[in-house]
Amino acid sequence: MAAVEVSYAEDWDADVRREFGPLSSDEAEERDRSGDPYVVVRRVPGRPAPLEVHLVSWRDHYVGVWAYDELGRRTHEVDLRLLEPDRLFLRQYLERRYFSPDQSDRARDAWRLTVDLLPGGRGRRVLEERGEGGGSFHTLADVPESQRWHPRSGFGVRAAGSPDFFGAAEQERPKVLDAAVLPSPAAAGNADVEVGKPESPWRPPRPGQPGLALNELFRSGTRFISETWGEMTVAEIQRIATLRIPSGRLVVADPMEQDSPRELIERVPPGEYPLQTAVLVGEGDYYGERFPVTEQPAVRLLITDEPPVTWEMGLSEGEDPRLLLDGHAYGFGTDGAAGSFADASGWAALSGKYRSFLMDRDASAAEHIADGFVHATDEETSGDLVSFHTGGDGIYPVWLGRSDSGELVAVAVITSWLADLRPA
């Protein structure tokens, strides 16, 4: 029975498969208690590649488990989320199979199985037998509850003696030497542990952030650089309409949505607020011919005049940011390249008027108030709906701007496809 050596470190370099910043078991325990990220590395003596790496960050509600073959290629990736004090939920399982020793680590043409799970029995299974671009087979994920949840005690520094995550048969499980009785990696002269900083460090998954600099975008005169159009300038902050929200409940959703619109959990003080768009101007070039370009990459509802200092994702009921994969965000969906801000209490009437105006050509139901914007009013609730165009179909996150004191000062949606836009 082979032995597995367990060591701890501050960081892990995903590209070179090497730990950085060795930790003693006591130091790892302290990081475990504080929630600071650290890694647990399991190795078989004489095997150049690690057996497993556990990536732990309790403050981010996350544990990752990566397994490697003898050539140092990642074969399994497991994403677990701490949704309960003592239990981790299996958010994603990814398995790769390599057909020859010549295939590189995480090769695009490697056989791949991805299982995405959500609480409540939901999930999907995607099989790509020829890798990325080679076709895929999608089914519902038939994973029992007993395999969706795992005890927290099985991971991190306190689980050094537990068997490997992927459940080898008992007779095949290697004997684990508890790190508490092993010399520290540095003292042992372990060449795989370094003191410096990794070039490709592991980081816990983070929810998506606004793709544009929203503060600068709503400041007249700010210059931006776009790979598409070159230099552009914020010409004005155009006021589109005044939106009445008598209920204090704000919906940001596709106005064609009839049932269960996406209402934000965040409440606003009942009142009237200006809806604005940032207007950028520049010049385009087509085979030497110059022409003017105008873009409106974002809209915002201005709650107060105090400038926002932070932006966070606007959530709706039932959305849990702990479940988001790296770079992912919640938002409203649209199949018609449109969104809207509206008072929630009058949504049924307001969205109905919008549909009548757009589809039935009922000019009395609503009105065009600017290019791409439609305004509808509900007399019974005294609430409004103002629609806007998006850059296409898809999911559009809603961003909440907060002041230094944490007060909500703005609600914004990035609508443009100019993802490369950045301040000059």
Side-chain angles (χ1 to χ4, degrees):
M1 185 180 293
V4 170
E5 297 178 345
V6 177
S7 60
Y8 312 111
E10 296 178 3
D11 213 336
W12 177 257
D13 192 310
D15 288 345
V16 300
R17 301 174 296 281
R18 183 174 297 168
E19 56 261 50
F20 283 75
L23 297 172
S24 67
S25 58
D26 289 342
E27 290 170 330
E29 277 271 14
E30 179 56 35
R31 282 183 169 255
D32 192 90
R33 285 191 295 268
S34 66
D36 291 332
Y38 69 99
V39 298
V40 181
V41 184
R42 300 182 179 209
R43 293 182 180 275
V44 174
R47 187 180 193 258
L51 189 67
E52 275 185 13
V53 176
H54 291 202
L55 314 155
V56 183
S57 183
W58 296 125
R59 72 183 181 197
D60 294 292
H61 310 278
Y62 173 80
V63 171
V65 182
W66 295 349
Y68 293 86
D69 66 11
E70 292 186 351
L71 298 179
R73 300 176 298 189
R74 210 180 299 176
T75 59
H76 297 79
E77 297 175 29
V78 172
D79 181 325
L80 297 142
R81 302 302 173 97
L82 187 65
L83 302 186
E84 297 179 2
D86 299 317
R87 291 206 305 170
L88 289 150
F89 181 77
L90 177 57
R91 176 64 180 85
Q92 186 179 75
Y93 170 90
L94 189 151
E95 180 182 351
R96 292 185 184 87
R97 297 177 187 175
Y98 301 94
F99 299 114
S100 75
D102 297 328
Q103 280 185 295
S104 61
D105 180 33
R106 290 168 286 164
R108 290 175 56 88
D109 60 348
W111 181 99
R112 186 167 67 177
L113 171 67
T114 305
V115 179
D116 283 295
L117 301 176
L118 291 171
R122 295 171 292 165
R124 67 170 182 171
R125 179 181 184 273
V126 180
L127 177 61
E128 298 167 285
E129 294 183 328
R130 300 181 184 86
E132 294 181 49
S136 59
F137 182 59
H138 296 241
T139 58
L140 295 177
D142 185 17
V143 179
E145 282 295 299
S146 61
Q147 295 180 20
R148 291 171 180 253
W149 294 93
H150 300 268
R152 175 176 176 168
S153 59
F155 303 91
V157 62
R158 300 177 190 180
S162 64
D164 64 282
F165 177 81
F166 300 102
E170 187 66 39
Q171 63 271 21
E172 298 174 351
R173 286 177 180 167
K175 180 181 179 182
V176 178
L177 300 182
D178 195 318
V181 301
L182 294 176
S184 71
N190 190 341
D192 290 318
V193 184
E194 298 193 6
V195 179
K197 296 294 183 182
E199 293 186 7
S200 54
W202 162 78
R203 289 293 178 265
R206 295 282 191 268
Q209 296 296 316
L212 297 179
L214 286 169
N215 285 358
E216 290 80 0
L217 198 61
F218 284 93
R219 188 179 301 141
S220 294
T222 304
R223 293 187 303 113
F224 284 83
I225 298 296
S226 164
E227 293 181 11
T228 305
W229 301 127
E231 184 173 310
M232 304 189 78
T233 302
V234 181
E236 65 171 320
I237 309 303
Q238 183 181 352
R239 185 186 182 106
I240 300 301
T242 297
L243 189 76
R244 298 177 299 169
I245 312 175
S247 69
R249 296 162 45 211
L250 180 63
V251 165
V252 187
D254 186 336
M256 294 297 289
E257 178 71 52
Q258 299 185 46
D259 302 315
S260 303
R262 189 170 185 271
E263 179 182 338
L264 300 183
I265 296 174
E266 187 80 19
R267 297 293 184 251
V268 301
E272 301 179 359
Y273 303 102
L275 185 66
Q276 304 170 322
T277 182
V279 181
L280 273 70
V281 297
E283 272 194 331
D285 184 287
Y286 186 75
Y287 290 101
E289 182 179 347
R290 307 292 295 178
F291 54 90
V293 172
T294 301
E295 294 285 354
Q296 297 179 8
V299 292
R300 76 172 179 184
L301 192 68
L302 190 64
I303 308 301
T304 75
D305 290 328
E306 192 172 355
V309 296
T310 61
W311 290 90
E312 67 186 51
M313 192 184 312
L315 299 175
S316 182
E317 190 69 33
E319 296 174 345
D320 188 343
R322 297 175 300 175
L323 289 168
L324 288 170
L325 300 177
D326 193 52
H328 288 209
Y330 294 112
F332 70 88
T334 175
D335 292 326
S340 67
F341 290 84
D343 179 71
S345 65
W347 177 261
L350 291 166
S351 61
K353 290 187 175 186
Y354 174 86
R355 291 190 297 274
S356 294
F357 178 79
L358 197 68
M359 302 176 67
D360 301 333
R361 308 299 182 185
D362 182 357
S364 65
E367 62 175 332
H368 279 293
I369 53 174
D371 186 23
F373 297 88
V374 173
H375 181 209
T377 297
D378 177 37
E379 294 79 6
E380 184 175 343
T381 62
S382 298
D384 294 324
L385 177 150
V386 177
S387 72
F388 54 87
H389 285 322
T390 64
D393 300 346
I395 303 294
Y396 288 82
V398 180
W399 305 105
L400 308 180
R402 296 194 184 276
S403 66
D404 193 43
S405 63
E407 181 184 4
L408 180 67
V409 297
V411 182
V413 176
I414 297 170
T415 61
S416 175
W417 49 269
L418 290 176
D420 59 358
L421 197 67
R422 64 186 189 279

